[in-house]
Amino acid sequence: MFFKRLALAGAVSVAATAAYADGHATCDFENTTEITMLSAAFEAWVAVTDGMAACGNFSPELDQEFRTKQPEGFAADPSLYQLGGVSNGTITPLLNQGTIRPLDDLIAAHGDQLTPNQLIQIDGQTMAVAMMVNVQHLMFREDILSDLGIETPTTWEEVLTAAETIQEAGVVDYPLGATMKAGWNIAQEFVNMFGGFGGTMVNDDNTPGVNSEEGLAALDMMMRLTEYMDPEYLVSDSTYVQQQFQQGSIAMANLWASRAGAMNDEAESQVVGLVATAAAPLAMEGGAPATTLWWDGIVVAANISDEEAEMAFRTAMAGIDSETVAAAPDAAIWLIEGYEPNDMSAGAIASATANPAPPAYPSTTQMGLMHTALGNELPAFFTGDVTAEEALAAVEAAYTVAAQEAGLLE
């Protein structure tokens, strides 16, 4: 499994040897071309773009709405951005549009520091360079569970039982947090839970498969979990849940590993040293953890000159190097030489190496269309406007129309 290999690669990396010179990032060349970059806004991208900035003439745009802005920005000619921060869930529109370029020549010239695990190959060409792995795993207040005599939950049924005990104790505002914001986030929560119940999102003939026993089981579990959340959970994204943890208002959440380091940020967290991680819970006995495996990395625009592309790639390499890992070791589960896993990465590694292992999120057009349909149609179920059966039927109808327009279905 690709992602299992990635996670293990991080686990066996050697100790860091580099450090920022005088506390500041360094760059081995002077960039003379204006380079812009659009990526997500979580802590790892802050660290990486800080490293890139040392080369000069670099303007990062860190925006959680990057996934909706990138296709149009990269389709412009010339491209609005020379670099993009992507994941296996967001690279597909750029690949389909042909707006990012193969990187093999640039890697041969300037990528000596990269390992094979970092090279994301599509149809025999390297189209992205991965810098980290990511996965949603269980994060929990170790002190609260210990005080209440609760064992670390390993299944979603155990999470519900633990949530009930925490709620009765009244030690936090809400026992649970979740990235249930209407749109992309709630769709991802469904993807995780649906996969945990063994469902098949899209069949081999490109027809949808979510209106099924597994789909109903996933929605039922998600709805039961909301009973222990902030009632405004449909506006709750990753940053919201991170802040809920940091402010001590929740005790458990299945949250991105890329958010774990923020729990111990003394500048903004009230729960330093109190949050632990474990594998994503199982939805059913004998199943895989109810999560999907992701990578995050960089791409280079196609609609720019070769000279700009070379400067952009060299700038990127200055950001995804061992200096960045040494400066921000807890910001991510890095795939970069120098990374050593810490306690907060234990849950992500346990999720990725479980047997059976969770699937990697598929970088396919079909999955992109399904994810959009889920994000648009599922909120009506959680607001009580439609039944679970009606919501799943609406998802399949929306997907089918989109797949027909894309030429995937007749």
Side-chain angles (χ1 to χ4, degrees):
M1 294 289 292
F2 174 65
F3 268 88
K4 187 173 182 179
R5 181 159 53 87
L6 289 181
L8 290 172
V12 299
S13 293
V14 298
T17 56
Y20 276 19
D22 300 325
H24 300 284
T26 61
C27 182
D28 63 2
F29 79 105
E30 181 180 357
N31 174 41
T32 57
T33 301
E34 187 66 30
I35 302 297
T36 60
M37 176 174 173
L38 176 62
S39 74
F42 55 79
E43 191 176 1
W45 282 114
V46 175
V48 166
T49 53
D50 281 351
M52 295 180 187
C55 299
N57 290 305
F58 175 66
S59 301
E61 182 177 334
L62 307 185
D63 186 342
Q64 282 303 98
E65 299 303 319
F66 75 102
R67 64 177 60 86
T68 60
K69 298 173 66 174
Q70 277 185 342
E72 184 175 354
F74 276 76
D77 194 2
S79 173
L80 299 183
Y81 307 96
Q82 285 74 35
L83 293 171
V86 300
S87 69
N88 47 325
T90 63
I91 192 175
T92 303
L94 306 182
L95 289 169
N96 289 344
Q97 292 177 333
T99 54
I100 55 176
R101 66 174 59 205
L103 303 176
D104 298 282
D105 290 345
L106 293 169
I107 291 169
H110 304 292
D112 289 346
Q113 71 206 59
L114 302 175
T115 66
N117 285 328
Q118 293 180 259
L119 309 183
I120 306 302
Q121 295 193 323
I122 309 292
D123 296 333
Q125 294 180 308
T126 304
M127 300 303 295
V129 174
M131 64 180 191
M132 58 175 280
V133 294
N134 210 354
V135 62
Q136 285 177 278
H137 61 11
L138 185 66
M139 295 172 59
F140 59 95
R141 285 283 300 276
E142 195 169 25
D143 56 328
I144 291 176
L145 267 61
S146 177
D147 291 345
L148 297 177
I150 301 171
E151 296 290 332
T152 304
T154 60
T155 69
W156 280 111
E157 288 292 345
E158 291 177 1
V159 170
L160 286 167
T161 300
E164 180 65 24
T165 300
I166 294 168
Q167 184 161 279
E168 290 176 353
V171 292
V172 287
D173 295 337
Y174 306 103
L176 291 176
T179 53
M180 294 277 285
K181 183 178 179 179
W184 191 92
N185 286 272
I186 198 169
Q188 181 57 33
E189 291 287 343
F190 179 85
V191 169
N192 290 339
M193 194 67 76
F194 180 74
F197 280 109
T200 299
M201 198 70 63
V202 178
N203 300 312
D204 290 342
D205 61 359
N206 291 334
T207 56
V210 298
N211 194 3
S212 60
E213 180 180 339
E214 293 84 1
L216 292 172
L219 285 184
D220 177 67
M221 177 59 75
M222 291 170 68
M223 182 65 90
R224 292 168 65 195
L225 292 167
T226 65
E227 296 175 14
Y228 301 98
M229 298 176 190
D230 182 336
E232 301 298 323
Y233 59 82
L234 286 178
V235 298
S236 175
D237 61 8
S238 299
T239 299
Y240 187 87
V241 178
Q242 174 185 314
Q243 292 172 344
Q244 284 184 306
F245 257 126
Q246 291 176 316
Q247 296 165 7
S249 62
I250 61 172
M252 297 183 290
N254 207 47
L255 187 60
W256 292 101
S258 54
R259 301 285 176 164
M263 298 303 113
N264 293 327
D265 184 346
E266 294 182 350
E268 58 184 42
S269 176
Q270 301 173 24
V271 295
V272 173
L274 300 179
V275 178
T277 69
L282 304 181
M284 64 179 186
E285 185 176 354
T291 189
T292 47
L293 303 176
W294 293 64
W295 56 262
D296 288 84
I298 64 102
V299 294
V300 178
N303 295 333
I304 58 176
S305 69
D306 290 344
E307 291 74 18
E308 284 180 294
E310 182 175 15
M311 290 297 103
F313 186 80
R314 293 182 69 183
T315 299
M317 291 300 98
I320 55 175
D321 66 1
S322 55
E323 272 195 347
T324 295
V325 173
D330 300 333
I333 301 174
W334 300 106
L335 291 170
I336 304 168
E337 183 175 346
Y339 174 66
E340 283 192 330
N342 58 24
D343 290 344
M344 295 302 282
S345 63
I349 293 174
S351 298
T353 58
N355 185 17
Y361 185 95
S363 300
T364 64
T365 300
Q366 294 89 330
M367 192 61 207
L369 299 177
M370 178 59 76
H371 203 118
T372 298
L374 290 166
N376 289 339
E377 303 299 336
L378 292 186
F381 167 67
F382 290 94
T383 57
D385 293 328
V386 299
T387 66
E389 291 83 357
E390 290 170 338
L392 294 173
V395 169
E396 291 206 345
Y399 166 84
T400 298
V401 170
Q404 289 171 335
E405 291 176 348
L408 298 171
L409 287 174
E410 294 184 356

